[in-house]
């Protein structure tokens, strides 16, 4: 069967709704998660932001989630301006954005940069800024359960999520109670506004909602409309809200910038769509040429759905596609959730300057006919994508390989990290 590429439904575009790696614990407690948790009480709630009249809620939620992960050990203020203006996509700050844009920006080491280096709301973002942290792992949970969301909040400080808001305001919404700062949407409209989940309360009363759910319980959420909204920027969203569970993102592993010396990549816009052969298993590879004598330490790629398993192979000297027929993986494993992951090699590999090498992955994503993340021009937002910077391949069996830029007009999302 010939390969096929498909645009992925990987996150709602959000941000049009505006108003005029260190975990908290290494694992979930043996007795389970508590019935109540509030990041404000553990020092993990970031400063409340105000997006003003810009469609940047997605970038404010993402940068705030990064800040929450690092608190209280480190206090940062990351620039939403830089994320929303320097991300490689063809949008502006009034167009909104999506989770995958934030993930691509961070995975590519474009950012984050500090708020001081690129202040919010001035309509300008300087070129040439370097990231102050490297984000190496991000989890994306679709159709998330309440327990899955709680787990991500507890371990990583906060979760970026989406709700539906009509006409850019909650004040006049029949789904919002200003008396209780509570919200539960029950309609059919798609999510259009990103928020931050910083905690939960299993005992939050159903009667506090204007349209009471069947049971108690609410997520404690932080908005991006300033301290004047809700309870100093905080409001409560029912566990039974129609949209909040659809796609949730946590920024799980954030490291200092000396973790690796170099990143090799060809997918600055990241996970735009997916490619494969109509099977849940596919092989994919990228070829890179080191600029110096370096040591390959890790590879990075997306898992496009739950329970993805992988095998990673390294080809130290790449000549042609026959070089990609390899037998023993360097490392193998699995991911519980979709997202972006960095996989360290069990043994590092020496690379010679100017000698092309390849990184190769066999991936299996149950029930997914197109398991490989790819970057390509899909719409106006991705019009800036170029495919002349990559040398990617896919195969349905690991023996016969097809060049993706030439055959499918896409780059493979597969990075290499060296020192």
């Amino acid at each position: 069967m010939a390969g096929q590429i498909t645009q992925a439904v990987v996150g709602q575009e959000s941000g049009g709704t505006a108003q005029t790696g260190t975990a908290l614990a290494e694992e979930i407690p043996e007795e389970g998660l508590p019935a109540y948790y509030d990041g404000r009480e553990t020092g993990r709630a970031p400063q409340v932001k105000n997006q003003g009249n810009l469609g940047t809620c997605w970038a404010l939620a993402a940068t705030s989630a990064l800040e929450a992960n690092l608190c209280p050990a480190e206090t940062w203020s990351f620039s939403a301006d830089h994320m929303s203006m320097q991300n490689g996509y063809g949008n502006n700050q009034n167009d909104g954005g999506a989770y995958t844009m934030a993930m691509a920006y961070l995975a590519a080491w474009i950012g984050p940069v500090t708020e001081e280096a690129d202040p919010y709301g001035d309509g300008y973002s300087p070129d040439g800024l370097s990231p102050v942290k490297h984000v190496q792992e991000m989890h994306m949970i679709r159709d998330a359960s309440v327990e899955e969301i709680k787990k991500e909040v507890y371990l990583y400080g906060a979760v970026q999520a989406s709700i539906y808001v009509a006409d850019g305001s909650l004040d006049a919404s029949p789904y919002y109670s200003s008396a209780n700062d509570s919200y539960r949407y029950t309609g059919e409209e798609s999510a259009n506004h990103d928020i931050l989940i910083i905690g939960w309360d299993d005992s939050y009363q159903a009667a506090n909602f204007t349209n009471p759910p069947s049971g108690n319980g609410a997520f404690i959420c932080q908005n991006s409309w300033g301290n004047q909204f809700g309870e100093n920027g905080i409001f409560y969203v029912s566990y039974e809200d129609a949209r909040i569970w659809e796609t949730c993102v946590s920024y799980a592993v954030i490291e200092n910038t000396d973790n690796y010396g170099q990143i090799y990549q060809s997918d600055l816009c990241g996970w735009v769509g997916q490619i494969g052969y109509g099977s849940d298993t596919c092989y994919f590879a990228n070829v890179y040429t080191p600029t110096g004598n370096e040591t390959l330490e890790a590879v990075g790629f997306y898992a496009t759905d739950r329970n993805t398993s992988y095998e990673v192979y390294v080809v130290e000297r790449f000549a042609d596609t026959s070089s990609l027929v390899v037998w023993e993986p360097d490392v193998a494993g699995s991911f519980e959730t979709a997202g972006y992951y960095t996989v360290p090699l069990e043994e590092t590999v020496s690379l010679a300057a100017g000698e092309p090498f390849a990184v190769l992955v066999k991936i299996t994503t149950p029930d997914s006919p197109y398991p490989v993340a790819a970057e390509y021009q899909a719409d106006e937002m991705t019009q800036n994508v170029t495919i002349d910077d990559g040398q990617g391949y896919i195969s349905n069996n690991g023996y016969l390989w097809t060049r993706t830029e030439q055959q499918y007009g896409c780059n493979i999302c597969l990075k290499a990290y060296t020192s």
Side-chain angles (χ1 to χ4, degrees), residues 313-379:
Y313 304 78
V314 177
V315 178
E316 297 179 37
R317 299 289 185 272
F318 176 85
D320 53 37
T321 55
S322 65
S323 305
L324 300 177
V325 181
V326 292
W327 303 105
E328 293 296 327
D330 290 76
V331 62
S334 61
F335 307 125
E336 183 178 344
T337 68
Y340 180 83
Y341 293 88
T342 300
V343 178
L345 301 178
E346 291 184 355
E347 294 185 8
T348 59
V349 177
S350 296
L351 305 172
E355 292 286 343
F357 70 98
V359 288
L360 186 161
V361 177
K362 176 187 178 182
I363 199 167
T364 299
T365 304
D367 301 320
S368 174
Y370 311 106
V372 179
E375 176 207 53
Y376 62 101
Q377 290 185 355
D379 49 29

Side-chain angles (χ1 to χ4, degrees), residues 223-349:
N223 208 349
S224 55
W225 295 348
N227 289 304
Q228 292 71 37
F229 170 79
E231 184 184 289
N232 295 315
I234 304 298
F235 68 122
Y236 300 83
V237 180
S238 169
Y239 291 160
E240 298 180 34
D241 181 84
R243 294 290 171 260
I244 196 168
W245 48 268
E246 288 186 325
T247 306
C248 298
V249 176
S250 64
Y251 299 89
V253 177
I254 306 169
E255 298 179 350
N256 292 328
T257 56
D258 60 357
N259 58 349
Y260 304 107
Q262 177 82 5
I263 182 173
Y264 290 93
Q265 60 185 334
S266 60
D267 62 319
L268 293 183
C269 287
W271 181 7
V272 174
Q274 294 164 218
I275 191 170
Y277 290 90
S279 166
D280 62 5
T281 297
C282 190
Y283 295 77
F284 59 104
N286 265 348
V287 177
Y288 297 110
T289 301
T291 55
N293 294 326
E294 302 171 26
T295 301
L296 179 64
E297 296 193 351
V299 300
F301 54 94
Y302 292 90
T304 56
D305 213 331
R306 298 173 185 267
N307 302 316
T308 290
S309 59
Y310 65 86
E311 296 176 356
V312 174
Y313 304 78
V314 177
V315 178
E316 297 179 37
R317 299 289 185 272
F318 176 85
D320 53 37
T321 55
S322 65
S323 305
L324 300 177
V325 181
V326 292
W327 303 105
E328 293 296 327
D330 290 76
V331 62
S334 61
F335 307 125
E336 183 178 344
T337 68
Y340 180 83
Y341 293 88
T342 300
V343 178
L345 301 178
E346 291 184 355
E347 294 185 8
T348 59
V349 177

